[in-house]
Amino acid sequence: MARLLGYGIDTLVVNLYWPEGVYKLPEGVEDTLNELKDLYRRDPEGAIWWGVDAYFPLPNPGNGGGLFEAALVQSTRHYAWQLSFGGLVFVRVSAVKDTTRRKDFPAMRVEFTGTYMLYAGRDAQKVVQWVLDAAENLTGVRPVRVQVSRADLFVDLEGEPFKITDLDRFTSRSRVRGLYSVGSADGGVAPGLQAGATPIEGGPMSNTLPATRLQAAASLSDGPEYVGAFLRGRDWSGFTFGRGPLMARVYSKSVEAKSRYSARLLLKLYEETHGPITGEVVRVEFQLTTEVLREMVVVGDGTDVRDWDTFLWAVPAMWSYLTGGWLVLRDKGNYTYTWDAPVDPFWVLVQSAFTEGGGAGKGELVRDTVFRRLDPVGLAKQALGAFLTALAAASRLGKVDLKEWWIGAFRALGSDMEEREKLGKEAALAYSKALQRKLGAFGMMPEKWRFEGVPA
């Protein structure tokens, strides 16, 4: 029996607009950013803006709720600078020019990664308010318009793994379908025709919600024309539907967890929240870009859903359209036509993820423990291997015993006594194995074995 584990917004990209002629940066900031950008070309890891929180106070919910105190300044396309906040949030900033001070120019573009959204409890409204506050602190004027450039809506469920043959159970109105192996389904498709005019003026940050229902443009009604199937070894890894402006991914988080530490930790967090997971964790995700958001309109006034307030209001309607018409999984059975089959119970649960008035975009939270993006033990083992190689280069490998030192180093990674004890044991084993591998790689034998013989 399938069960829902979590849902919400994963990657989110928004554009920020200021009133005509008011966008500006504090004195000296442009010079600082230019110097750091030049440094980035020579030393990509050294172009750090220390004390960025005094100018752009962005919360860091993955580190105790404080602020990011430093940001990496990078080069980027179309904007003067890009600020990377721990690889979790990317803020593209414009230099102050006549063109960037126009009200129709997005002076800043902000990308919230899925990991950052997880840290923030999938509360999309909150993270946008955070960046609005930070942008106001930097420029002295609050942005008056927030426009969604990309949004990934997802749901994670536990159920049975799919098979390649299940691809035929997905239906859409598409008349063209191609099957691709890994890496061959690339490129894009031309976006559909615009549906409805985007209002030039009006309250883009208004709290007044549209009174009419959302309708997908006719150009989207045909559904995905491109389908990809993916395997990892002999195991099903995922399906992709569509490409370019609108894409759906149905893939296995369980398979992904075999190679990605972040996926393993996500499954662990789900287990802490929902209990043991014995089935396959499947993610159903829709990636919507500007072209598609422009075509999803509110009936009656022609307003598209790129406006932030309209987008949040429309998330349940968009999800209903995407999972109820654009892509549907049909039940198994002997049906003359796939379209005659009822909706699969698994997909019914997918459709239930977002409901009208149910806190669109926030979803069920997974916040029991801090979500680590990196494997600290794995990094420590890499450091151990590198140091033993350095000892070999200095002709000291096997002549000094640093086992206790490395045990202490591993123990420092633990957050409590129980975890430190466990890491100490893992360090002792890791040191012994790493030393044996390095000695063997350099044609040497442990001194103990020279006299007592190689163990059987």
Side-chain angles (χ1 to χ4, degrees):
M1 184 68 180
R3 61 172 173 167
L4 190 149
L5 300 175
Y7 64 93
I9 297 178
D10 202 52
T11 299
L12 175 66
V13 182
V14 296
N15 297 329
L16 305 184
Y17 296 79
W18 273 259
E20 187 78 28
V22 304
Y23 174 72
K24 61 181 180 180
L25 296 175
E27 184 178 356
V29 166
E30 290 200 25
D31 292 337
T32 299
L33 292 174
N34 283 329
E35 291 174 2
L36 290 170
K37 184 170 70 171
D38 291 339
L39 176 60
Y40 177 78
R41 297 188 179 101
R42 304 189 304 271
D43 180 13
E45 296 182 356
I48 300 174
W49 186 7
W50 298 103
V52 69
D53 52 318
Y55 296 91
F56 200 89
L58 183 67
N60 182 4
N63 189 28
L67 300 176
F68 286 101
E69 298 175 347
L72 184 65
V73 180
Q74 304 169 314
S75 300
T76 187
R77 295 180 60 189
H78 307 306
Y79 285 81
W81 315 280
Q82 175 172 278
L83 308 182
S84 172
F85 292 86
L88 297 171
V89 181
F90 299 92
V91 180
R92 295 183 180 183
V93 182
S94 299
V96 180
K97 301 178 180 179
D98 290 341
T99 53
T100 63
R101 288 166 64 84
R102 296 174 182 171
K103 66 179 180 180
D104 59 349
F105 185 85
M108 287 188 190
R109 180 182 177 91
V110 184
E111 177 182 345
F112 304 99
T113 64
T115 303
Y116 187 81
M117 295 297 293
L118 177 61
Y119 283 152
R122 306 288 181 194
D123 194 332
Q125 181 69 52
K126 181 170 64 178
V127 300
V128 169
Q129 291 302 317
W130 283 347
V131 83
L132 285 174
D133 293 340
E136 180 181 8
N137 188 81
L138 177 66
T139 64
V141 179
R142 194 172 185 82
V144 295
R145 180 183 174 194
V146 179
Q147 185 184 79
V148 181
S149 179
R150 172 184 166 181
D152 294 0
L153 308 179
F154 81 95
V155 58
D156 287 336
L157 306 99
E158 179 188 11
E160 295 295 325
F162 283 100
K163 300 178 181 178
I164 293 297
T165 53
D166 289 324
L167 190 62
D168 290 335
R169 296 200 291 126
F170 286 91
T171 62
S172 68
R173 295 182 178 87
S174 176
R175 294 180 293 274
V176 181
R177 173 163 293 184
L179 181 62
Y180 298 87
S181 59
V182 175
S184 62
D186 54 3
V189 294
L193 302 175
Q194 292 189 18
T198 302
I200 299 177
E201 301 291 345
M205 298 293 292
S206 170
N207 291 324
T208 303
L209 300 179
T212 51
R213 66 185 179 86
L214 179 74
Q215 176 175 301
S219 58
L220 295 175
S221 62
D222 282 340
E225 293 187 348
Y226 298 89
V227 176
F230 299 81
L231 294 173
R232 179 168 296 224
R234 294 181 178 272
D235 296 329
W236 168 82
S237 176
F239 299 133
T240 60
F241 302 88
R243 58 182 181 178
L246 176 58
M247 175 186 291
R249 292 180 286 264
V250 180
Y251 64 98
S252 172
K253 277 290 181 182
S254 299
V255 172
E256 186 183 52
K258 296 178 181 179
S259 59
R260 292 189 61 183
Y261 182 72
S262 59
R264 291 197 297 274
L265 274 178
L266 179 61
L267 300 192
K268 179 181 178 181
L269 295 179
Y270 279 145
E271 285 189 333
E272 292 176 356
T273 304
H274 301 282
I277 295 176
T278 58
E280 193 90 357
V281 177
V282 177
R283 170 162 292 192
V284 178
E285 184 175 63
F286 292 86
Q287 176 181 305
L288 299 94
T289 59
T290 301
E291 294 90 337
V292 171
L293 296 171
R294 182 189 295 120
E295 293 185 352
M296 291 184 172
V297 299
V298 176
V299 177
D301 58 10
T303 303
D304 62 52
V305 299
R306 290 177 298 167
D307 169 73
W308 176 241
D309 289 331
T310 305
F311 172 83
L312 282 182
W313 165 83
V315 163
M318 286 188 287
W319 187 257
S320 177
Y321 161 71
L322 293 169
T323 62
W326 196 79
L327 186 68
V328 178
L329 176 65
R330 302 290 173 174
D331 196 10
K332 299 177 182 179
N334 296 320
Y335 299 95
T336 304
Y337 300 102
T338 306
W339 279 87
D340 294 335
V343 178
D344 189 271
F346 177 88
W347 202 254
V348 172
L349 195 56
V350 169
Q351 294 172 333
S352 70
F354 295 90
T355 57
E356 291 289 349
K362 186 172 182 179
E364 190 166 329
L365 307 186
V366 180
R367 291 293 308 280
D368 288 353
T369 60
V370 174
F371 186 88
R372 297 170 180 167
R373 292 182 298 136
L374 301 174
D375 183 353
V377 177
L379 292 173
K381 289 180 179 179
Q382 292 178 26
L384 168 60
F387 190 79
L388 291 178
T389 300
L391 282 179
S395 301
R396 298 289 293 165
L397 184 64
K399 297 181 180 180
V400 294
D401 186 0
L402 298 174
K403 184 175 182 179
E404 293 301 321
W405 189 93
W406 278 104
I407 289 176
F410 272 61
R411 284 173 58 86
L413 299 174
S415 58
D416 53 41
M417 184 61 68
E418 182 179 356
E419 188 175 13
R420 287 193 288 271
E421 187 69 22
K422 179 181 178 181
L423 289 172
K425 294 179 180 178
E426 186 163 355
L429 181 61
Y431 183 86
S432 299
K433 288 185 176 181
L435 180 60
Q436 291 178 22
R437 286 196 302 268
K438 294 298 179 179
L439 289 172
F442 288 94
M444 303 167 62
M445 180 182 290
E447 186 173 353
K448 180 181 179 180
W449 293 2
R450 295 174 186 172
F451 300 99
E452 300 181 4
V454 178

